[in-house]
Structures are given as C-alpha cells and as structure tokens.
Amino acid sequence: MERCAPVLNRSLHALFAERADVILLGEDLLDPYGGAFKVSAGLSTKFPDRVLTTPISEAAIVGVAGGLALRGLRPIVEIMFGDFTTLAADQIINHLAKFRGIYHGQVSCPVVIRTPMGARRGYGPTHSQSLEKIFLGIPGLTVVAPSRHHELGELLRRAVVDSTDPVLFIENKAMYAQPHEPPVAGRVAEFSTRTTADRFPTLTFSLNDFAPPDLTIATYGGMTPLALQAALELAMEHELFAEIIVPSQLSPLPTAELLTSLSASRRLLVAEEGTLTAGWGAEVVARLMDTADFPFASARVAAANSIIPTSRPLEDAMLPQPADLIAAAIKLTSSPRR
Amino acid sequence: MSPETLAPLHARMVLIRTFEESVLALFAQGELFGTTHTCLGQEAVAVGVLSQVTRDDVVFSNHRCHGHYLALFDDPAGLMAELMGRTTGLCGGVGGSQHLHRENFYTNGVQGGIVPCAAGMALAEKFKKTGRIAVVFLGDGTLGEGVVYETLNLASLWQLPLLFVVEANGFAQSTPTALQLAGSITQRAAAFGLRTAEGDGNDLAAVATLAADAVAYVRRETKPFWLVLNTYRLGPHSKGDDHRPAEELLRAHERDPLARLCARVTAPAIAAAKTDARARIAAAIAAARVAPFPTAAA
C-alpha cells in the first residue's frame, strides 16, 4: 500500500502536467531536497519555471500567491510547518480570504496553502501543533484536513482546480508515512464505509453495517486512525458500536452525516488532536445543538491545555490517545439514551 | 511640461482635491458612515505617477486610495456612490472607502499586506509575458511593517516588474515620521539592490518626470524600482483626528501642490477646473443620494 506523502506528490505532478497555470511556491522546494516532507519532490526538475523556492518569508509568499491568483493563475503555497501559518495569518485572513467579498464578487482568489500540522513525531512545541482551529470560521476561507482514508490526490486536485476562494489544506504529518487506504467497494479493513458526494467528502465508518450505533464519533485528519482503533476496541471489548464520521472539510462544517448518525445514537463524542478550548469540537457540538431537533449528550476529547513537550512520554501524555476515547465513550454511553 | 500636457493633469488634481473636501464635508453633515482617509495635499503624486502608466498596468493602492482611483478612472460618480454605500458604487457599496477594485486597480486597508500581493501580480504579468508592470503605493508609515522588507527581497531576487511608490507624507496616522522611522527611506530599498529615486512629491512636473523614468525602467528591464516622493498630508488622517499645530499647517500650505501650479496655469483655467469639478461632484452626490442601498442576501 502506498504511503500518503507519495500520493500527494503524484497528485501535484499530475496537476502540473495537466495545467500550465499551476505554480508552486515555498521554502526549500528544489530537488534534490524537494521540500521538508518530500511532498514536492521532483517537481522542480520537471517544471523548473513553475516551482519557486523562496526565502523564509511566509507572509510574503502567501501574499505573492494571492496576487498570482487575482491575476488568473493557480498558485499552491507550501508552508513547511503548520505552526508557521501564524506568520501568514494577515495575508490569509485580511487579504486572500477577503478579496472576492470586498470586491463584490468581481474577482476570485484560488490559492491553495498546503501545510503539515500535528504531533506524534517528537518535533516539540513549535513544530507539532494543530493550529487549524485559528482559521476555522473565516468567511471566504475553506479549511480542508483529509484523513489517510480520503482520496488524497483527488482532494488536492479539487482544492487547486475547483476553487474560487483560498483553501487551507492541512496535511497531518504523521499521516505522511502511513499507508493511504481509501475505501474499496465501501470497505476499509473491518469497517463498512459511506462517502458523501461533496467536493471535500465526509467518510462514515461502521462496524455493524450501519445498524443504529450506540454513539457517534466525530473526528478528522490524524486522529482518524486512533478513533478507528478505539472503535474496534469498544466493539470487541465493550460491545459498544460507534459510527465514526470523518469530514475532510473542517470549515465551513458539513453537518448532514453527523445529524443522520446522531439522530440514531443520541450520543456524540468529538475527538481532535489540537487543544480543547475553542477547538473544532466546540463548533461541532454547538452547531449540532443548533440544528438537531432531538436531544443528545456530548463529550469532547482533545489535547491537554499545554505546550507539546518534546520528550516522547510527555508528548504521549499530552495528546489524546485511543484510551481517552474509549474512556469517554464508556462514560457517555453509561447513561440512558436521550 | 507643456501647458497642453499640464492643463488636464491640473484639472484632475482639482477634481481630487474637490472630491476629498466634499467627502469630509459629507462626514461633517452626517451623510457618510464609517471612516475614510483623504489624500489632501498628495494629489500631485497620484496624478503625476498614474499619468505615466497605462490602463493595462496593474495598480495596487492602500487605505488612502481615492486620489489614485480618480487619477486612473476620472470617475467621481462611481467612487462617491461606493463611499455612500449604494448599489451604484464600483464595488456595490460592499468595499467602501478602502476596498476598491476596477479593471486592473485594487486596494486594501491593512498596512503593508498589499505589497506582497502587488509583487504576486507583477510576477503573474512577468510569467504571462504581457509586458505589463505593477505599481504599489505605500506610505512612510507602512515602512514599519516587516512584510514590506520580505517583499523588497523577493522583488529584487526575482526581478519583478514592480514599481514601489512611497508617498512620504510625514505621518503614520498621528505619529510624525521622526518618532516612528529610523534610517533612510531610499537606502532601505538600495540595500536590497533596487534602483531608487527620490523627489518632491508636491511638484507635479517633477513627479511626472521621475515616474516616467521609473516606469520605463521597470518595463524595459523587468526589474523593481523604489520611488520616494516627499509630500505632506494637509488633511486629517481620517476625519477629525488632527492635532497638528496651526503654524505647521500654515507652512505646509505654502507647499500645497495645487497652489504651486497657479503660476503655470491661467486664472480662467483654474476657475474652469474648479467649476467643472464642483459640478461633477455635486452631480455624483446627487446621483448617489437617490441610488438604492444594497439589500442583504436572504
């Protein structure tokens, strides 16, 4: 099975071959280095005019991409670590995401900003964060964070080709080295799966062929394998069947699959790798509270309110683990269904 | 500059001056909502520089953008309607004073951030081999923003056809330049390997000459250029926020770029330009007043 980083790399190669208006900008992109995580490897050799290695200037390169997009090109920016998106926040929030709106729809600004987020690789406090929550709910900005079970290459292609507004495309960095395993004939290992027809689809995983679940788990990106692992253990050890909903689009939040599952389970567990406060999970719970016409109970699992320590045992303790999901699921299901 | 060349440029400066004075008056009367940044005293920069580019070239301006728009498009009606929040405004009333777009002209309201966007536009035109250049307007206050220096580095490194125009108007909002800027403005860009020039931004002919040379260089060499034009903001930063001593303003009015043209434009021509500007702006205001406000989408 192919790993996720080469899948993204192949998608970029296909995009460059398909379209002459695609340009890639970022730090350390040139071969033989090919970008810090090798997702851009080989592009500078094949398409030297369209791969621009840049100074360490995140704000400027995102701004340049905005200018390129306003003038008709399809730029992709690679930000080496997601932690560094803060340096480009003004460009993302006040410029790229604004242009179409403030100019009354007269322009489009299709920039894709690809960046790795996430921990579990020992990179420490400033190279491991999941900061995507900062960018949720910015009008005009779409935030996409696929899991290793999404069609990664196709999602990246759609972000580049089918967008009129900027897309922040989060690539979980633990995922890079994991096998890419999209559903085949509606299955991933022991799970039955369902995929929505959205531009950035939501996946639903079930261990009992979509019979009404005991609880619904909402998660995304790098937490997905951990949630699936927890679901297996819940089924085998505790006879609790979870349905796992994995959107690839974090913002704006698609809620249809979540509502369908939750209407049966009435119990929602949200799991994310970032810190709890004001996280994605808070928005998921609040949004479902607003829209569901039935009662439900909810719980959130996320990272501890701390920096991400470098030492392995401390990092493990700070991050949400399958055991945390299992404990939260057992507690959530210990009360009668609402 | 021949009288034939000068007359329409002078008339355009008068239009901008009259427009900006009308904007402040409309605020005082409570007819405008929000905020604005007028370019009173800086009209020679807008008209002098933009008389040297074509409508195909890309221009990115900042929060103080009315003069640049009027210099390029001679459209007080579209701009006034935009400021008054009407559907007939050039961005349907959505953008307002600081967020304008028409053809190849763009503005945005956050200091410094427009500069890399303009560089990206210059890169796009270079990539597409159109021969167009990009012009970005910034002020001496903007030089406090780090992204300007990131962009100077990139523009030089990548040889972008980008003309930086620094309107050094003496202030960062209320803070005089002496309290917020160290070192030399031109040397900043020279350190990145850019060709630079500096001149009197209140002298229309000097501005036009410097801009013509700069534009020709950027277009011919496909390289960036840093043009510093020293001027003075005669009006407030936005509306009523002016605490400068009267004697300083009095001295500044002696350098007023319009007053300095009086010797070179005939009295009847000046009178005609003022009459025409007043009539056009009155018509723009009258038209905007009766134009519909936009309605929020359902």
Side-chain angles (χ1 to χ4, degrees), chain A residues 20-21 23 25 49-50 52-55 57-61 63-64 67-68 70-73 90-91 94-96 99 101-104 106-107, chain B residues 58 60 90-92 94-95 99-101 104 106-108 110 113-114 116-117 119-121 123-125 127-128 132 147 150-151 153-154 157-158:
Chain A
D21 56 357
I23 294 182
L25 305 93
D49 299 340
R50 291 192 278 143
L52 302 177
T53 200
T54 70
S57 303
E58 286 79 8
I61 61 183
V64 163
L68 286 167
L70 286 176
R71 302 300 297 174
L73 298 169
D90 174 56
Q91 285 301 322
N94 286 324
H95 293 80
L96 276 58
F99 284 132
I102 63 179
Y103 300 152
H104 201 39
Q106 299 176 88
V107 303
Chain B
V58 181
F60 218 129
L90 65 141
C91 289
V94 174
H99 316 98
L100 306 177
H101 167 62
N104 301 304
Y106 309 80
T107 79
N108 200 1
V110 179
I114 65 166
C117 295
M121 294 176 161
L123 177 61
E125 300 310 319
F127 180 79
K128 294 187 284 185
R132 298 174 178 189
V147 74
E150 292 187 15
T151 309
N153 183 49
L154 274 182
L157 193 67
W158 291 349

Side-chain angles (χ1 to χ4, degrees), chain A residues 46-334:
Chain A
K46 257 196 240 170
F47 310 97
D49 299 340
R50 291 192 278 143
V51 177
L52 302 177
T53 200
T54 70
I56 303 174
S57 303
E58 286 79 8
I61 61 183
V62 172
V64 163
L68 286 167
L70 286 176
R71 302 300 297 174
L73 298 169
R74 295 261 165 189
I76 304 169
V77 178
E78 177 174 305
I79 301 289
M80 187 187 285
F81 281 86
D83 311 72
F84 310 158
T85 54
T86 54
L87 294 158
D90 174 56
Q91 285 301 322
I92 296 170
I93 296 169
N94 286 324
H95 293 80
L96 276 58
K98 291 278 188 291
F99 284 132
R100 197 160 66 86
I102 63 179
Y103 300 152
H104 201 39
Q106 299 176 88
V107 303
S108 62
C109 193
V111 176
V112 174
I113 300 163
R114 294 183 34 245
T115 195
M117 296 266 193
R120 305 184 200 276
R121 289 178 64 144
Y123 291 161
T126 60
H127 291 64
S128 306
Q129 299 169 89
S130 295
L131 293 180
E132 50 271 24
K133 70 177 179 182
I134 295 173
F135 296 99
L136 303 180
I138 305 296
L141 179 69
T142 302
V143 181
V144 176
S147 75
R148 72 182 188 91
H149 299 297
H150 284 95
E151 293 284 358
L152 291 174
E154 176 61 17
L155 263 61
L156 181 55
R157 198 191 70 81
R158 289 179 189 177
V160 174
V161 172
D162 295 343
S163 296
T164 50
D165 287 323
V167 175
L168 182 59
F169 195 90
I170 310 289
E171 301 167 1
N172 180 267
K173 65 171 89 72
M175 179 181 88
Y176 282 148
Q178 295 167 352
H180 182 229
E181 198 178 355
V184 176
R187 292 200 71 81
V188 169
E190 298 89 340
F191 293 89
S192 308
T193 65
R194 206 164 48 210
T195 306
T196 60
D198 303 322
R199 180 170 62 133
F200 300 114
T202 296
L203 295 176
T204 303
F205 296 79
S206 168
L207 281 166
N208 57 357
D209 212 18
F210 300 109
D214 297 306
L215 78 156
T216 300
I217 299 178
T219 193
Y220 70 89
M223 275 305 289
T224 308
L226 288 79
L228 295 180
Q229 189 187 326
L232 273 176
E233 198 174 322
L234 283 167
M236 289 192 293
E237 308 288 330
H238 306 279
E239 290 182 34
L240 289 172
F241 287 93
E243 211 161 70
I244 303 96
I245 316 284
V246 185
S248 59
Q249 180 175 302
L250 303 189
S251 179
L253 179 69
T255 53
E257 293 299 296
L258 286 163
L259 275 170
T260 303
S261 178
L262 195 55
S263 70
S265 73
R266 304 295 173 100
R267 294 162 180 143
L268 174 67
L269 175 60
V270 190
E272 64 193 306
E273 191 183 307
T275 51
L276 184 73
T277 302
W280 178 73
E283 175 65 15
V284 170
V285 173
R287 189 53 65 106
L288 292 171
M289 286 275 188
D290 290 347
T291 44
D293 54 6
F294 50 82
F296 65 91
S298 69
R300 291 183 286 152
V301 169
N305 184 26
S306 153
I307 61 157
I308 302 174
T310 310
S311 172
R312 185 65 182 267
L314 293 179
E315 188 191 43
D316 284 347
M318 183 270 181
L319 295 174
Q321 305 294 346
D324 300 318
L325 272 79
I326 291 163
I330 290 171
K331 188 173 173 212
L332 195 58
T333 50
S334 62

Side-chain angles (χ1 to χ4, degrees), chain A residues 9 12-14 16 24 31 39-48 51:
Chain A
N9 176 253
L12 288 173
H13 276 270
F16 269 76
L24 180 67
D31 294 331
V39 175
S40 302
L43 291 166
S44 69
T45 304
K46 257 196 240 170
F47 310 97
V51 177

